[in-house]
Amino acid sequence: MKQSYTLSLAHINDTHSNFEPSRVQFNLTVGHLKLDMTSHSGGYARIGHHIAKARQAATEANTPFIFLHGGDSFQGTLYFSHFKGKANAHLLNLLAPDAMVIGNHDIDEGNATLAEFAKQIDFPLLAGNMDLSQEDINKPGCLRGLPNLLDYDHELKLAKYLVKPFHDKTLAIIGITLDQMKEIARPDPDTHFVDAIATTARTVEHLKQQGIKHIIVLSHLGLDQDKRLAAEIDGISLIVGGHTHTLQGDFRALGLSNMPYGEVINNTPIVHAGKYAEVVGLAQITFDAEGKMLTLNGGNYFMLDQHFVLSANVAVNDTDYRAVRQQLNHHPHILWDEADADIAGVIRDIYKPAIAEMENYVIAQVPKNLVHTRLPSKSLPHGSQIAPWVSRSMFQEAKLVDPRINFALHNAGGVRQSVSQGQLTLADVMGQLLPFELPLVKYEIQGQFLYQALESAINSATNNSVLGTGAGSFPYTYGLRYYYDGRRPLGERLFRLEMMQQGSQSLWQTVEYESLYMGVSTSYTAAGKEGYHPLLQARWQESMESLTLPQAFIRFLKRSPNLSDLWSQHVHYTSHRPRGK
């Protein structure tokens, strides 16, 4: 019997329709000079080149090769907004993954869009804890029964799984996604998600009983839940994950994260590959005959443009460029811009023309970089620098439709990225910043439920003694300001809430528990997702179908196309003190 079993692995996750290279920013030090570097990385053509290269090397070494996608192919750019999954299916087929797990954004538009995607792809789609046993098989866009969908076996209480030959053994792949899907996405009402960890545990035990010991879990649970999965279930050989946009690896030299690639929990290595197709994960992993990892070599690799832009507080010269180039050339996890010509041609000739006009439509001039982070931090104590402007646009545009509006409330996850200094185009807004075309909803609600909604959302975002749904629930407001102390008991953490008085940005009044107020949120937030369930206590809700989230922001910018004109005006921030000392 063989003593070791080697696997060549490639993986990506949370690509969000970023078929072209994504803009990246690094902070480097050359001598005593600190430099900001801007470039582009990744995209499907570059990923395709490096996967083909890794696949060929594995073939020559007679090593099994597996390429996995950790979910969230949908949303993110105009390629999805315009083509609704058709381009995703076409280009993923060209990359030829062995499997993809369903992410929350893959079912954001309900079952029908995902079902159409599933019919177009040439590879298995995994969601082993998605229970379709109650789905109406006669409805349009039904997922149930699709031959390449490995969902939950309701009778056996197991995840359906993929098996592959692996040397003289068999390797199994289980796909597990978020069991909180109904709280953060929009699956059809007859589609349910069962406990992710319990389902995985039963399925792993079942596989062991079948003599299968090399088991990969392809997960869209996020890093923390992957760690929990590994800690609680013995015998998982490898977890390939997604959802939290986690860039594993030592990228301190680029001013980015430093976290272990292939972090091992309970003998199970966990790998994630960042976001937006900026990096590709490539690894060589050896296991013993029992499926336990022996060695893991590899990491995440940026695939950078040959040309890049440097800036600093002083003039940058050719010597600085050469020094940076040398530093990048010696970085172990930087590849360059070699690309698959066929994939690049499909993007350029078939899909790019439809969205090129929107990329040239300039809406506004942004006076400085606006960083989007979901949660406040030491470096950004007020949190996102762009989300408050989005909330303000919702407020002002909704108020033009209904002057009774008192406030806007939006969740951090509805804003998808930072905004760079310079021109902001229609494509930037519709395709990347605010890709979810959610209608705005106005509602009338008692003050007590606003207190509850804000505290619940913050608790959920910070996992403050609750099982949260992720940092995307963190609230950003306009017309409201709140004070939160995570050290207080549940129900008392939002200890102060004030409403801006009509017609004044400097006068504030305490929100009274019994008083009624009119707010505006997206249909997603107003539906009580991600901790916002107290908003369902509104006396009434009414959809503003003619006004979507991106439309509100675009109209707002068109009224003041230079944000410098607005910069000195008041944008409402909040006071947030997290749990702990």
Side-chain angles (χ1 to χ4, degrees), residues 288-328:
D288 66 15
E290 298 300 307
K292 181 180 175 181
M293 186 269 289
L294 298 173
T295 64
L296 187 152
N297 296 295
N300 288 314
Y301 295 84
F302 283 96
M303 297 153 281
L304 294 180
D305 288 353
Q306 290 287 345
H307 301 285
F308 49 85
V309 176
L310 297 178
S311 61
N313 294 328
V314 297
V316 179
N317 57 39
D318 289 344
T319 301
D320 299 322
Y321 274 91
R322 286 194 296 271
V324 169
R325 167 74 66 177
Q326 184 177 25
Q327 187 171 330
L328 295 174

Side-chain angles (χ1 to χ4, degrees), residues 213-262:
K213 299 176 181 178
H214 294 85
I215 302 168
I216 296 176
V217 174
L218 181 57
S219 155
H220 195 81
L221 299 179
L223 184 60
D224 286 346
Q225 286 295 93
D226 285 344
K227 290 180 180 180
R228 183 182 167 202
L229 198 72
E232 295 187 15
I233 303 172
D234 296 334
I236 300 175
S237 303
L238 171 70
I239 296 175
V240 179
H243 183 54
T244 44
H245 297 189
T246 304
L247 176 63
Q248 292 179 323
D250 184 355
F251 293 100
R252 286 173 291 181
L254 305 180
L256 300 177
S257 62
N258 175 32
M259 51 176 45
Y261 177 83

Side-chain angles (χ1 to χ4, degrees), residues 105 245 372-376 383-384 412-416 470-474 476:
H105 288 295
H245 297 189
H372 178 57
T373 179
R374 293 182 170 186
L375 294 176
S384 174
V415 179
R416 300 307 293 176
S473 67
F474 193 82
Y476 287 93

Side-chain angles (χ1 to χ4, degrees), residues 15 32 46 95 128 250 320 325 332 337 391 400 419 446 538 560 562:
T15 48
H32 298 292
R46 296 180 192 180
L95 291 182
D250 184 355
D320 299 322
R325 167 74 66 177
D337 58 359
S391 296
L400 290 174
V419 172
Q446 280 188 317
S560 297
N562 189 340

Side-chain angles (χ1 to χ4, degrees), residues 117-423:
F117 169 80
K119 293 172 184 175
Q120 296 174 37
I121 58 177
D122 301 331
F123 51 87
L125 193 60
L126 278 52
N129 59 322
M130 180 169 69
D131 185 356
L132 297 170
S133 62
Q134 299 176 48
E135 190 183 27
D136 179 3
I137 60 173
N138 296 313
K139 72 179 184 184
C142 178
L143 285 167
R144 185 177 173 187
L146 292 179
N148 64 334
L149 176 60
L150 301 183
D151 56 336
Y152 182 67
D153 188 320
H154 182 73
E155 293 185 0
L156 297 177
K157 309 300 182 189
L158 300 174
K160 298 174 187 174
Y161 51 86
L162 182 66
V163 292
K164 287 182 168 291
F166 185 57
H167 299 280
D168 59 352
K169 302 285 187 181
T170 297
L171 181 146
I173 303 172
I174 307 167
I176 295 293
T177 192
L178 293 154
D179 48 29
Q180 297 172 306
M181 197 70 84
K182 290 200 173 187
E183 283 73 45
I184 66 171
R186 287 175 286 166
D188 288 4
D190 57 8
T191 299
H192 306 286
F193 293 82
V194 298
D195 187 279
I197 291 179
T199 302
T200 305
R202 290 193 299 268
T203 308
V204 168
E205 183 59 31
H206 168 79
L207 288 168
K208 289 179 180 178
Q209 292 172 2
Q210 308 304 307
I212 299 174
K213 299 176 181 178
H214 294 85
I215 302 168
I216 296 176
V217 174
L218 181 57
S219 155
H220 195 81
L221 299 179
L223 184 60
D224 286 346
Q225 286 295 93
D226 285 344
K227 290 180 180 180
R228 183 182 167 202
L229 198 72
E232 295 187 15
I233 303 172
D234 296 334
I236 300 175
S237 303
L238 171 70
I239 296 175
V240 179
H243 183 54
T244 44
H245 297 189
T246 304
L247 176 63
Q248 292 179 323
D250 184 355
F251 293 100
R252 286 173 291 181
L254 305 180
L256 300 177
S257 62
N258 175 32
M259 51 176 45
Y261 177 83
E263 180 177 4
V264 179
I265 305 290
N266 189 22
N267 297 317
T268 300
I270 302 168
V271 295
H272 283 233
K275 62 178 177 14
Y276 304 158
E278 295 168 353
V279 300
V280 60
L282 298 169
Q284 296 286 318
I285 311 170
T286 59
F287 303 95
D288 66 15
E290 298 300 307
K292 181 180 175 181
M293 186 269 289
L294 298 173
T295 64
L296 187 152
N297 296 295
N300 288 314
Y301 295 84
F302 283 96
M303 297 153 281
L304 294 180
D305 288 353
Q306 290 287 345
H307 301 285
F308 49 85
V309 176
L310 297 178
S311 61
N313 294 328
V314 297
V316 179
N317 57 39
D318 289 344
T319 301
D320 299 322
Y321 274 91
R322 286 194 296 271
V324 169
R325 167 74 66 177
Q326 184 177 25
Q327 187 171 330
L328 295 174
N329 281 333
H330 285 89
H331 196 288
H333 293 286
I334 287 181
L335 306 170
W336 295 98
D337 58 359
E338 293 175 286
D340 184 293
D342 291 338
I343 295 175
V346 168
I347 296 169
R348 180 188 64 242
D349 299 334
I350 298 178
Y351 298 110
K352 181 74 173 178
I355 64 170
E357 185 176 348
M358 299 177 75
E359 292 182 328
N360 295 321
Y361 190 112
V362 178
I363 300 171
Q365 295 289 332
V366 181
K368 58 177 287 188
N369 292 335
L370 301 177
V371 177
H372 178 57
T373 179
R374 293 182 170 186
L375 294 176
S377 63
K378 289 183 180 179
S379 59
L380 289 167
H382 297 304
S384 174
Q385 296 173 330
I386 187 64
W389 290 101
V390 174
S391 296
R392 178 173 178 169
S393 72
M394 294 166 59
F395 172 85
Q396 293 194 187
E397 295 307 312
K399 198 169 182 65
L400 290 174
V401 178
D402 191 332
R404 298 175 296 167
I405 298 290
N406 301 116
F407 68 90
L409 171 59
H410 189 43
N411 66 301
V415 179
R416 300 307 293 176
Q417 69 173 33
S418 302
V419 172
S420 301
Q421 180 181 4
Q423 293 182 338

